């Protein structure tokens, strides 16, 4: 609120300075009025740009852009960049999640007090006879959701690296221990 008041005061001062300069000069009113209207237009354009930049700064201070491109609120705890779950805070800082009511299940409840595994409604995989839940593109992970296929013509293997499967030349990192030819798992 203080920042808005300061910006409004600065805009009013600027407007008074432009207005007094145009009325104080003498002979050619046509040129002055034309230039003063241009100055007012450019000043108002600059003002709107400054306000837009300030709005963006405020938004980035309180919001996060997710992987899907949507804007989400940040946790209100200082220094935390997690997404708000409930009451302005993330799970780490005290937001309470509803858990599945099935005995021994610690998954988050989605609908009706239960998780997907215990009966919450959700879309099913579009593959014939499959009863798994959809992950991406209308299919489950068993039916190639989240898996990119090899770019070689006619190949249905999962891509490992650079869009290729092992058979078609995906570069694979090998263990650097002496005498070991296994593929690197981590590191």
């Amino acid at each position: 609120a203080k920042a808005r008041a300061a910006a409004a005061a600065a805009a009013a001062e600027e407007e008074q300075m432009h207005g007094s300069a145009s009325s104080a000069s003498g002979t050619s009113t046509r040129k002055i009025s034309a230039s003063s209207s241009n100055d007012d237009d450019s000043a108002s354009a600059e003002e709107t740009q400054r306000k837009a930049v300030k709005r963006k700064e405020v938004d980035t201070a309180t919001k996060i852009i997710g992987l899907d491109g949507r804007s989400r609120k940040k946790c209100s705890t200082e220094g935390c960049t997690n997404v708000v779950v409930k009451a302005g805070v993330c799970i780490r800082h005290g937001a309470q999640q509803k858990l599945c009511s099935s005995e021994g299940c610690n998954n988050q409840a989605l609908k009706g007090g239960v998780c997907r595994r215990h009966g919450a409604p959700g879309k099913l995989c579009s593959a014939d006879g499959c009863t798994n839940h959809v992950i991406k593109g209308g299919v489950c992970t068993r039916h190639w959701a989240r898996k990119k296929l090899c770019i070689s013509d006619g190949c249905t293997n999962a891509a490992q690296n650079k869009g290729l499967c092992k058979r078609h030349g995906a570069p694979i990192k090998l263990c650097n221990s002496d005498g070991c030819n296994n593929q690197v798992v981590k590191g």
Side-chain angles (χ1 to χ4, degrees), residues 5 7 21 44 61 87 94-95 122 143 150 159-160:
S44 63
H143 295 106
C150 179
Q160 298 294 320

Side-chain angles (χ1 to χ4, degrees), residues 22 24 26-27 56 71 78 104-105 108 142 179 185:
S22 62
T27 57
K56 286 181 184 175
S71 176
E78 191 173 325
C105 183
Q108 184 177 357
R142 183 178 290 161
V185 177

Side-chain angles (χ1 to χ4, degrees), residues 47-182:
E47 180 86 22
T48 52
Q49 279 182 336
R50 274 189 254 137
K51 285 181 180 178
V53 168
K54 284 183 181 179
R55 271 189 237 119
K56 286 181 184 175
E57 287 173 5
V58 171
D59 286 345
T60 56
T62 59
K63 292 190 177 182
I64 300 171
I65 304 299
L67 295 175
D68 57 357
R70 293 188 321 176
S71 176
R72 296 190 173 101
K73 290 185 180 180
K74 267 194 221 178
C75 177
S76 60
T77 305
E78 191 173 325
C80 183
T81 58
N82 292 331
V83 177
V84 166
V85 174
K86 193 173 184 181
V89 291
C90 64
I91 295 168
R92 180 179 287 170
H93 294 109
Q96 296 294 315
Q97 282 186 308
K98 289 185 178 180
L99 298 180
C100 180
S101 60
S102 292
E103 191 174 324
C105 183
N106 292 324
N107 293 333
Q108 184 177 357
L110 298 177
K111 196 166 187 182
V114 291
C115 65
R116 286 245 169 95
R117 182 180 291 166
H118 294 110
K123 291 183 181 178
L124 297 179
C125 181
S126 60
D128 291 335
C130 183
T131 58
N132 293 329
H133 291 281
V134 167
I135 301 295
K136 185 177 180 183
V139 291
C140 65
T141 51
R142 183 178 290 161
H143 295 106
W144 299 98
R146 291 189 184 162
K147 293 181 183 176
K148 292 184 179 179
L149 297 179
C150 179
I151 57 174
S152 292
D153 291 334
C155 183
T156 59
N157 293 330
Q160 298 294 320
N161 198 348
K162 297 188 179 183
L164 297 169
C165 65
K166 288 181 189 177
R167 180 180 290 162
H168 292 108
I172 299 168
K173 220 177 185 182
L174 297 177
C175 180
N176 58 7
S177 294
D178 292 331
C180 183
N181 293 326
N182 293 334

